[in-house]
């Protein structure tokens, strides 16, 4: 685990806090060190486990009162920073998609201050490579090459789910950090490349948990139910909108216990584990999206929210 760069940042283990700087400059040489005084003006901090495909980044702004609105742009996605619960800080979440190309990438935080003054704070980052596992699966043929009769349904459901997750609720609905939806061990298979019946077909953009059949699945944070439906591929699926473009998804359940539009608390039972849809046995498929970027649920658990 790398070390943070300021006293404030050091208060945030185990997630790396990488950046703390005033607006005077964001070149690495100007970053606050432990010995240096905190810079005047707004302070922007980044927290992340790693700068790699599949990782989320928390952007926090501690304003000095001069900032009216702020946005963070990275890898083509722009997120508006919104007030954090119970404080003077505002924040946004940005994801590095599981299939993002490693290499240099610039993060820009645009601050609009009183009187319309615009300041762009830029930081050049490097997305490092990440090795993902691969596996061979034997599935029922109708899930590898779905019958023509199912293609229209799959297309429709894919579009509806994408539509539901394209709506950005402009406030944070979560309650503190994310939690596991069940205590069962995982297969550690986020990002796994899959050869289905010997055809390279899919990338596993979630994490599978070895939950026994029928056991309750809990909401990993508070939010609003965006989808509660029986999907051809995902089976009985719940998608929770946590606000700010962050969605968690729970698939292959045997029973749904919530309805679309309902508000849920963190830890509330949303369904029971099962093996519906494209599944080889009872388990929970758990996944996250941040503004279209597919990120690792285990990294979401470590965000200091
Ligand atoms: Zn899965």
């Amino acid at each position: 685990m790398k070390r943070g760069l300021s006293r404030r940042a050091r208060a945030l283990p185990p997630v790396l806090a990488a950046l703390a700087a005033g607006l005077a400059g964001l070149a690495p040489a100007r970053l606050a060190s432990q010995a240096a005084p905190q810079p005047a003006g707004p302070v922007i901090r980044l927290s992340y486990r790693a700068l790699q495909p599949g990782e989320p980044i928390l952007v926090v702004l501690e304003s000095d009162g001069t900032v009216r609105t702020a946005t963070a742009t990275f890898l083509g996605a722009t997120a508006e920073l919104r007030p954090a619960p119970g404080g003077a800080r505002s924040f946004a979440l940005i994801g590095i998609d599981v299939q993002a190309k490693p290499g240099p990438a610039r993060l820009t935080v645009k601050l609009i201050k009183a009187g319309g003054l615009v300041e762009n704070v830029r930081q050049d980052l490097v997305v490092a490579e990440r090795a993902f596992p691969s596996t061979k699966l034997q599935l029922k043929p109708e899930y590898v090459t779905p019958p023509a009769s199912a293609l229209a349904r799959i297309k429709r459901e894919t579009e509806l789910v994408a539509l539901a997750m394209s709506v950005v609720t402009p406030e944070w609905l979560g309650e503190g950090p994310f939690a596991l939806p069940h205590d069962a061990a995982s297969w550690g298979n986020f990002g796994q490349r899959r050869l289905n019946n010997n055809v390279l077909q899919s990338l596993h953009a979630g994490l599978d948990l070895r939950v026994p059949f029928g056991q309750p699945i809990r909401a990993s944070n508070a939010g609003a139910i965006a989808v509660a439906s029986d999907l051809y591929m995902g089976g009985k699926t719940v998608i929770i909108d946590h606000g700010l473009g962050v969605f968690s998804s729970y698939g292959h359940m045997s029973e749904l216990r919530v309805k679309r539009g309902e508000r849920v608390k963190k830890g509330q039972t949303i369904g029971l584990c099962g093996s519906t849809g494209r599944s080889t046995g009872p388990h929970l498929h758990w996944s996250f999206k941040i503004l279209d970027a597919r990120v690792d649920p285990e990294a979401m658990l470590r965000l200091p929210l």
Side-chain angles (χ1 to χ4, degrees):
M1 186 58 63
K2 297 173 202 167
R3 287 279 154 243
L5 294 165
S6 73
R7 278 166 297 179
R8 298 300 298 268
R10 280 171 193 274
L12 289 174
V15 173
L16 171 65
L19 184 155
L23 293 176
L26 262 179
R30 303 288 302 270
L31 292 175
S33 70
Q34 193 169 14
Q38 288 291 314
V43 174
I44 298 159
R45 287 202 320 261
L46 305 182
S47 298
Y48 47 81
R49 184 174 74 165
L51 280 178
Q52 286 179 315
E55 295 290 327
I57 302 172
L58 176 65
V59 183
V60 175
L61 169 70
E62 288 175 23
S63 177
D64 58 354
T66 63
V67 178
R68 293 286 173 266
T69 61
T71 56
T73 301
F74 190 57
L75 297 171
T78 296
E80 189 175 352
L81 279 76
R82 301 291 297 169
R89 297 177 303 165
S90 57
F91 76 108
L93 284 157
I94 287 208
I96 305 173
D97 186 71
V98 63
Q99 285 189 295
K101 208 168 123 242
R106 174 170 283 184
L107 178 118
T108 303
V109 179
K110 180 179 178 180
L111 305 173
I112 300 178
K113 306 179 89 175
L117 180 69
V118 175
E119 292 194 49
N120 284 303
V121 182
R122 298 184 182 89
Q123 175 76 359
D124 288 320
L125 303 171
V126 176
V127 176
E129 293 212 31
R130 177 175 174 182
F132 290 107
S134 64
T135 191
K136 290 180 179 181
L137 289 184
Q138 289 300 319
L139 293 159
K140 289 179 197 159
E142 65 265 34
Y143 286 109
V144 177
T145 312
S149 60
L151 293 178
R153 177 183 165 190
I154 292 168
K155 182 170 182 284
R156 189 170 66 244
E157 289 176 349
T158 303
E159 287 172 357
L160 288 172
V161 165
L163 179 66
M165 289 199 281
S166 70
V167 179
V168 178
T169 299
E171 61 175 316
W172 183 242
L173 305 178
E175 297 164 357
F178 283 91
L180 284 165
H182 192 283
D183 297 334
S186 88
W187 267 279
N189 58 356
F190 174 78
Q192 188 179 61
R193 270 63 180 168
R194 289 179 157 181
L195 290 151
N196 294 334
N197 299 0
N198 286 325
V199 178
L200 178 60
Q201 193 181 40
S202 63
L203 176 140
H204 190 248
L207 184 68
D208 289 333
L209 303 183
R210 302 165 187 253
V211 182
F213 184 90
Q215 291 213 353
I217 303 301
R218 303 183 292 263
S220 56
N221 212 331
I225 303 298
V227 171
S229 195
D230 191 359
L231 308 174
Y232 184 89
M233 289 293 199
K236 290 184 179 174
T237 299
V238 168
I239 298 175
I240 303 177
D241 175 7
H242 303 291
L244 308 188
V246 179
F247 294 86
S248 61
S249 177
Y250 313 76
H252 307 306
M253 293 191 283
S254 59
E255 230 176 86
L256 301 176
R257 290 284 172 89
V258 288
K259 289 193 162 54
R260 186 171 58 83
E262 194 177 317
R263 290 291 285 262
V264 290
K265 290 191 158 68
K266 180 159 80 174
Q268 184 177 330
T269 297
I270 54 170
L272 304 182
C273 186
S275 186
T276 52
R278 187 170 74 175
S279 170
T280 53
H283 74 286
L284 175 69
H285 176 85
W286 183 37
S287 63
F288 277 89
K289 260 193 182 178
I290 302 175
L291 300 171
D292 280 340
R294 299 159 295 172
V295 296
D296 188 343
E298 286 183 324
M300 294 300 290
L301 293 175
R302 299 177 69 176
L303 287 174
L305 291 164

